[in-house]
Amino acid sequence: MSTHKLTIEFLLSTTYMRKDYQKLLHLYSRAGFGINKREADTLIESKDWVKQLTNVKQTELLDFDLPEFKSNYMKLSADERMSMRKEMRKLSRDINIFWLDQMSKGKDPLVEKMSLFWHGHFACRIVNPYEAIQYTNVLRENCLGNFKTLVVEVAKSSAMIKYLHLRQNKRQSPNEDFARELCELFTLGRDQEYTENDVKEIARAFTGWNTRKDGTYHFKEKQHDSGEKTIFGKTGNFDGNDVIDMILEKKQCAKFISTKIYKEFVHPDVNEKHLEEITDVFYNSNYDIRQLMNHIFNAKWFYSKDVIGAKIKSPIELIVGLKKSFDLSPKKDKVWLILQRNLGQELYYPPNVAGWPGDTSWIDSSRLAMRLRLPSVLLNNGQIPIAFKEDYDTNPNENRKKMKQLAKFQCEIDWNETQLTHQDDPKKCTLAELMLRGELSNDAKEFIKGHQLSSFKNQMIQLLSLPEYQLC
Amino acid sequence: MKRRDFIKSASLLTAGTWFTPLFLQQTMGKDFTPYKGKRVVVIQFSGGNDGLNTVVPFLDDNYFKARPELALQESDIIKMDQDLGLNGQMKGLSDLYQEGYVSVINNVGYPNPNRSHFRSMDIWHTASGSDEYLQTGWLGRYLDAHCQTAREGIELDNTLSLAMKGQQIKGLALEDAKSLYFKLKSDQFNELSDIDDSLNENNQGYLYKTLAEAHQSAKYVFDHSKIYSSKAAYPSSDLGRHLKSISEMIVSGMDTKVYYASLGGFDTHAGQKNIQNRLLKDYSDSIYAFVQDLKKNDYFKDTVILTFSEFGRRVKQNASKGTDHGAANNVFVIGEKLKKPGIFNEGPDLANLHRGDLIHKVDFRSIYADLLDNWLDVESQGILNKSIDKISIV
């Protein structure tokens, strides 16, 4: 491995960094999971970065090979059921890793980032692999499309129908679970422009929304309450589709979604003026998500100094970013699951229907220690403890045995190739500028000044072990 | 790699684990005063412990009818009072009970019980109603309102439970007194922890502040771990190990107000008896050793131990000699001077069930409120956000 010396002035200052590189790297850290120097050098030549991100020709779906669905579960013997359940669990784990892999390799970074965002928004715990694929692809297909279609399709997905008890929502005995979360978490926000009575009536409108055994949507006419309902002060024979239309008519819905998007893609603290601006864009475009994102990524304020590097990476952003930068593919890919769970964000496993609270809630002392330690462990082929907390369905003995195990993170990193794709280039951007977003803290600057390293690998580990690497 | 590089930041640039086992000598500061105030230790049974085979209504016909294979016979239990007996594996707990150190609170739960492990555990952790979602835990809110640093709430685990997360202060999760210290042990983290006060108000500042706190807390715990090393015999299980660590932290004079430990594996849908017996024995032996250890060092009088599970189990056994998820359950409170040691309230009413589950008579938040108001001596109302029926245990 060739060694080379960084000039400290270049390393520490962003003033030397070309402004266009700074913008591009910021854009891709938010609209994607980051890019390396080689990608940046290619992209910088093109005219319209934003359009390239938002204009998706054909959305890549999660192309996971599932065995044909068997509907004979009830006829199986106890042993056969057991082995089927085991197979399902394995498939679910594989899908989780498959999606993670897709995030780091997908051709459209924004599709990856948006579908992760919508997973947190339409938070849903999923154990069934068929439902996981169906749900994920609904998110992917509609992630930049029309918000109304997205809401309707999610509401028709088997995962959501089960998770929020739409199957139990019948004419004779309505279940309000879905109706409440639709208003509170998916569209309007808690206690915003709806009443308890609206929730009751909305539940009636969604009676009959059901799913077949194979997971396809099925409207059960017999369970549907076709009587008159009064919702938001209007009376009529409304069904679920009508309700979603009525909700979307309220500008509050556009505001609520824009707020969440702003916090996720721009800044954890909302600027009211910017919010008003994007709410208008979203509402006036009839809830076109692509137009909303286009507007944000083209806004001057998106590239302002206080926005760059202002966000704490979610654990998935952190993991996928590392995976992508170093093309990590460990021998035991279960290590990805362990990391997700230990860092507090596991795909298909949000804490509850409200999703991951995000921002500073990702960080407590112990998690921060793990996150800071993570790059040096991964890049040094170190060891990760296998310890699953609260694995309710595992045998406690087996679990205890697992607690003692350490998984070696066996993973070949091609450092020569990595150095080529992350070439330090004082005229465009240095390694520090490439890997870290925002201005470095004084402490970090001083530390680097006092500990100049010569090998590329060590420089990399030093930079990634800075708190700044936790930001994007 | 140049030797210079290697020496400069050895622990980050070589292969390591999250628990780098390095040896390091540190000495305690001289101006050290041990904390003598009160503290709570919470022990969580994860998975839903079957309370009916823990505290057994051994004279109730309904119990035997519902559990032809699972019911414990008179010979399998240790008698307490009021027609209730303790699972025979729990000799240690029974001894504590005889000494008057245990309150058994029966039929604890909440309205509209949820049978999902996760959801029900969240409800217990956040002290929410079953229809609300809170992002902070009840102990976290205690930390927010009455503590200054993360180390005042310590969980023995590698990740922190929701119960211990406040808005401002989140407790410290550690596997033992040394692990967090070693995770943060490197030149780089040392130097970056030594922050000036010109920190930004933004997330970068927040990360540096948290790092400095973590570093300080880890060092505090690590330094204290050298003051007292328990010679008492604990079970070699995880819980035994964790309780031993807690006792060492307490006796070394740490100012931690809340400790948290878990014992998992209670989700006994099949072949329950052996699994549960083993877990209860582990718990009972560990807790006995813990109490003796604290007593010997005169710290038991300032310690109360709360044991709970996210729900009890269905009264009727299932077809696999196990039990399914249920609702109300019993809770143990252990301490030296309890208001009403023994069986605190009437045992389970197996003749009146709701869809096959025990009906709750005591809201778990009443127990939290009592611990906050009358043990930790703070206002429970701001922490639990609700006025709750008062009960008097501690």
Side-chain angles (χ1 to χ4, degrees):
Chain A
M1 194 188 301
S2 73
T3 59
H4 64 173
K5 188 100 181 114
L6 289 175
T7 321
I8 198 66
E9 284 71 29
F10 286 131
L11 188 70
L12 299 183
S13 170
T14 49
T15 50
Y16 290 85
M17 185 185 193
R18 266 173 50 182
K19 278 277 178 289
D20 52 347
Y21 272 86
Q22 190 181 32
K23 277 179 142 185
L24 179 69
L25 291 168
H26 168 57
L27 174 64
Y28 268 82
S29 80
R30 297 296 177 82
F33 296 93
I35 42 173
N36 62 35
K37 179 68 177 13
R38 189 183 279 167
E39 291 168 303
D41 286 341
T42 313
L43 283 162
I44 207 91
E45 303 299 329
S46 76
K47 285 233 161 52
D48 200 338
W49 307 329
V50 175
K51 217 176 198 170
Q52 227 167 314
L53 279 164
T54 56
N55 258 5
V56 177
K57 296 278 172 323
Q58 184 157 22
T59 308
E60 279 180 304
L61 295 182
L62 215 54
D63 190 15
F64 185 89
D65 229 355
L66 274 173
E68 203 176 319
F69 178 79
K70 298 187 200 86
S71 58
N72 58 347
Y73 185 78
M74 299 309 282
K75 291 184 198 130
L76 299 176
S77 71
D79 279 356
E80 285 169 323
R81 280 187 195 190
M82 181 94 88
S83 71
M84 186 164 160
R85 277 203 300 272
K86 211 173 150 190
E87 196 195 331
M88 292 292 127
R89 271 209 297 275
K90 184 177 177 318
L91 284 169
S92 297
R93 283 198 296 269
D94 290 348
I95 289 171
N96 173 310
I97 294 164
F98 192 85
W99 189 10
L100 202 73
D101 211 47
Q102 172 69 28
M103 284 185 209
S104 68
K105 295 187 177 136
K107 75 172 169 65
D108 297 302
L110 186 57
V111 168
E112 304 306 331
K113 204 61 175 280
M114 292 294 311
S115 36
L116 176 61
F117 167 77
W118 291 122
H119 178 30
H121 182 74
F122 295 107
C124 194
R125 274 192 173 155
I126 312 178
V127 287
N128 178 316
Y130 298 90
E131 289 173 356
I133 291 292
Q134 183 196 45
Y135 163 89
T136 315
N137 283 335
V138 162
L139 300 185
R140 295 179 69 84
E141 262 177 304
N142 299 288
C143 68
L144 284 166
N146 186 278
F147 180 68
K148 181 191 169 172
T149 321
L150 178 60
V151 179
V152 172
E153 291 305 310
V154 168
K156 285 180 173 175
S157 73
S158 185
M160 192 55 85
I161 283 176
K162 285 187 187 166
Y163 189 55
L164 291 185
H165 304 101
L166 272 170
R167 284 189 305 178
Q168 286 87 337
N169 185 26
K170 299 171 184 173
R171 182 161 51 91
Q172 307 289 0
S173 55
N175 183 306
E176 294 168 13
D177 202 7
F178 177 79
R180 183 177 307 283
E181 306 313 355
L182 174 69
C183 298
E184 180 180 328
L185 298 169
F186 298 161
T187 59
L188 292 170
R190 185 157 201 164
D191 299 330
Q192 297 290 330
E193 303 192 19
Y194 67 93
T195 63
E196 271 305 299
N197 204 52
D198 289 329
V199 170
K200 278 202 177 70
E201 298 284 277
I202 290 172
R204 289 177 59 212
F206 276 95
T207 48
W209 287 45
N210 213 315
T211 171
R212 293 190 190 88
K213 263 191 197 146
D214 67 357
T216 51
Y217 174 74
H218 173 52
F219 181 68
K220 280 197 169 166
E221 190 85 55
K222 272 192 195 151
Q223 288 178 359
H224 182 66
D225 180 344
S226 54
E228 246 180 22
K229 298 134 197 135
T230 301
I231 299 170
F232 306 137
K234 288 179 198 155
T235 305
N237 171 19
F238 304 122
D239 66 11
N241 272 303
D242 301 327
V243 169
I244 292 174
D245 280 333
M246 290 160 79
I247 290 176
L248 266 61
E249 270 171 39
K250 293 175 180 290
K251 201 167 179 181
Q252 170 59 26
C253 176
K255 185 179 174 190
F256 180 68
I257 301 299
S258 299
T259 307
K260 273 193 103 166
I261 295 256
Y262 189 92
K263 284 183 174 175
E264 180 64 26
F265 288 87
V266 186
H267 201 287
D269 302 326
V270 176
N271 174 314
E272 289 302 325
K273 215 177 120 252
H274 303 163
L275 177 63
E276 207 176 303
E277 186 182 315
I278 63 172
T279 301
D280 283 344
V281 170
F282 195 35
Y283 190 69
N284 294 336
S285 73
N286 199 17
Y287 291 91
D288 187 313
I289 304 164
R290 190 186 320 268
Q291 282 193 41
L292 173 66
M293 299 318 288
N294 259 325
H295 186 90
I296 291 173
F297 296 144
N298 280 316
K300 206 169 167 228
W301 42 256
F302 178 72
Y303 299 93
S304 70
K305 205 172 153 236
D306 64 321
V307 168
I308 296 177
K311 243 178 59 87
I312 295 175
K313 286 177 188 166
S314 75
I316 296 287
E317 284 175 304
L318 182 69
I319 294 168
V320 173
L322 282 163
K323 193 172 178 326
K324 188 171 181 297
S325 287
F326 302 96
D327 197 18
L328 301 174
S329 46
K331 281 212 178 88
K332 285 183 192 157
D333 57 8
K334 200 183 169 196
V335 83
W336 295 129
L337 293 172
I338 292 159
L339 286 177
Q340 288 175 49
R341 194 170 293 188
N342 273 298
L343 297 178
Q345 189 184 27
E346 192 177 353
L347 298 173
Y348 303 116
Y349 197 82
N352 54 54
V353 62
W356 294 278
D359 197 34
T360 54
S361 81
W362 295 124
I363 302 292
D364 59 60
S365 308
S366 329
R367 287 233 164 98
L368 181 63
M370 280 186 220
R371 289 174 63 139
L372 289 172
R373 191 91 215 175
L374 183 64
S376 61
V377 173
L378 293 190
L379 301 184
N380 278 315
N381 210 5
Q383 294 181 322
I384 308 267
I386 299 189
F388 269 0
K389 188 179 188 175
E390 286 168 23
D391 230 359
Y392 295 114
D393 59 351
T394 28
N395 177 321
N397 298 319
E398 196 187 317
N399 213 8
R400 207 164 297 140
K401 217 166 64 203
K402 271 189 203 153
M403 294 289 281
K404 304 246 179 330
Q405 285 177 25
L406 288 173
K408 183 115 176 139
F409 189 80
Q410 286 172 297
C411 194
E412 294 296 318
I413 296 173
D414 185 341
W415 283 103
N416 287 326
E417 171 68 10
T418 305
Q419 190 168 353
L420 287 174
T421 53
H422 292 74
Q423 195 66 259
D424 182 61
D425 188 347
K427 281 189 206 124
K428 294 170 183 164
C429 69
T430 63
L431 189 59
E433 288 161 349
L434 180 68
M435 301 312 294
L436 309 172
R437 304 274 57 79
E439 186 80 29
L440 295 191
S441 69
N442 292 333
D443 294 288
K445 285 181 189 171
E446 264 180 38
F447 180 78
I448 296 175
K449 212 181 258 175
H451 299 77
Q452 294 185 51
L453 305 173
S454 51
S455 94
F456 173 77
K457 179 181 168 185
N458 289 352
Q459 287 168 7
M460 189 60 109
I461 291 174
Q462 186 187 53
L463 291 174
L464 268 50
S465 304
L466 290 173
E468 279 79 352
Y469 186 66
Q470 306 298 324
L471 301 167
C472 70
Chain B
M1 187 195 290
K2 280 188 182 169
R3 189 174 147 71
R4 200 174 57 125
D5 282 5
F6 180 77
I7 292 169
K8 272 188 178 156
S9 36
S11 58
L12 283 186
L13 301 179
T14 52
T17 74
W18 274 349
F19 312 125
T20 315
L22 291 176
F23 182 75
L24 196 103
Q25 290 278 334
Q26 292 272 330
T27 45
M28 273 305 297
K30 290 196 175 62
D31 53 345
F32 159 75
T33 35
Y35 169 73
K36 289 283 185 188
K38 288 178 173 167
R39 65 188 71 78
V40 173
V41 179
V42 179
I43 299 175
Q44 169 181 309
F45 287 164
S46 309
N49 176 41
D50 180 24
L52 286 173
N53 274 21
T54 308
V55 177
V56 184
F58 69 99
L59 295 177
D60 193 332
D61 286 345
N62 292 317
Y63 171 69
F64 294 96
K65 258 186 252 160
R67 302 183 158 196
E69 289 153 305
L70 272 191
L72 298 178
Q73 306 300 323
E74 242 182 287
S75 55
D76 301 327
I77 59 152
I78 309 166
K79 283 184 194 168
M80 304 160 96
D81 310 289
Q82 287 190 26
D83 310 346
L84 293 173
L86 211 50
N87 183 306
Q89 302 293 322
M90 304 176 88
K91 172 82 173 59
L93 189 72
S94 165
D95 289 352
L96 298 177
Y97 181 88
Q98 295 306 332
E99 299 246 25
Y101 294 157
V102 183
S103 268
V104 178
I105 303 126
N106 293 297
N107 311 307
V108 183
Y110 53 90
N112 302 315
N114 194 298
R115 281 168 194 76
S116 147
H117 293 291
F118 315 99
R119 182 65 193 129
S120 195
M121 195 60 98
D122 282 356
I123 289 168
W124 276 83
H125 279 197
T126 60
S128 72
S130 57
D131 58 347
E132 52 178 346
Y133 297 94
L134 300 182
Q135 312 285 18
T136 54
W138 73 285
L139 296 167
R141 294 193 297 272
Y142 163 75
L143 292 174
D144 272 346
H146 302 284
C147 298
Q148 271 76 49
T149 64
R151 64 153 195 266
E152 289 175 76
I154 290 185
E155 176 162 11
L156 277 288
D157 205 313
N158 56 353
T159 58
L160 192 68
S161 293
L162 180 54
M164 300 282 277
K165 289 185 187 174
Q167 190 69 47
Q168 308 301 327
I169 300 183
K170 301 177 178 81
L172 208 60
L174 16 101
E175 265 290 297
D176 54 55
K178 299 187 173 65
S179 60
L180 187 65
Y181 180 80
F182 284 124
K183 236 178 266 176
L184 288 173
K185 165 96 199 69
S186 81
D187 288 354
Q188 184 157 350
F189 299 147
N190 276 345
E191 282 191 35
L192 295 176
S193 303
D194 191 13
I195 46 173
D196 53 30
D197 12 78
S198 64
L199 277 186
N200 289 323
E201 297 268 310
N202 58 16
N203 275 335
Q204 189 188 73
Y206 175 78
L207 292 182
Y208 273 87
K209 191 177 124 266
T210 309
L211 172 60
E213 269 173 19
H215 195 261
Q216 227 169 41
S217 291
K219 184 164 171 353
Y220 179 91
V221 176
F222 181 77
D223 286 347
H224 277 78
S225 73
K226 283 171 285 173
I227 294 176
Y228 171 70
S229 166
S230 171
K231 300 282 174 292
Y234 284 81
S236 61
S237 63
D238 286 340
L239 184 66
R241 205 162 44 78
H242 288 154
L243 287 179
K244 188 176 178 193
S245 292
I246 292 177
S247 130
E248 290 174 341
M249 293 184 209
I250 292 174
V251 177
S252 72
M254 279 175 47
D255 60 1
T256 303
K257 320 292 187 296
V258 182
Y259 293 92
Y260 206 101
S262 303
L263 177 60
F266 284 97
D267 196 18
T268 49
H269 289 281
Q272 171 175 302
K273 220 177 224 175
N274 287 336
I275 302 172
Q276 194 202 17
N277 282 353
R278 201 169 46 238
L279 292 171
L280 291 180
K281 180 169 170 31
D282 180 9
Y283 166 75
S284 165
D285 291 353
S286 301
I287 209 83
Y288 183 79
F290 182 59
V291 169
Q292 299 310 318
D293 202 4
L294 291 181
K295 261 181 83 172
K296 202 180 81 197
N297 292 287
D298 201 27
Y299 277 92
F300 184 48
K301 63 180 194 322
D302 304 315
T303 308
V304 154
I305 307 157
L306 167 73
T307 306
F308 79 97
S309 194
E310 72 269 36
F311 43 59
R313 304 192 77 83
R314 195 66 47 82
V315 174
K316 210 165 173 305
Q317 70 169 79
N318 65 21
S320 332
K321 295 183 190 169
T323 51
D324 297 320
H325 302 180
N329 204 358
N330 38 49
V331 159
F332 298 134
V333 175
I334 300 172
E336 196 170 67
K337 288 193 192 87
L338 300 169
K339 286 272 150 52
K340 192 183 167 191
I343 306 292
F344 185 81
N345 56 346
E346 212 175 315
D349 179 0
L350 301 188
N352 285 303
L353 302 177
H354 177 69
R355 296 186 186 161
D357 286 329
L358 293 173
I359 298 166
H360 91 278
K361 304 266 169 60
V362 175
D363 194 303
F364 71 104
R365 288 163 291 196
S366 301
I367 302 175
Y368 290 178
D370 187 44
L371 288 176
L372 291 165
D373 288 325
N374 301 318
W375 184 254
L376 292 173
D377 205 19
V378 299
E379 234 6 276
S380 71
Q381 231 172 346
I383 293 168
L384 299 176
N385 302 323
K386 246 187 209 92
S387 62
I388 287 149
D389 289 346
K390 299 275 181 224
I391 57 172
S392 186
I393 306 166
V394 292

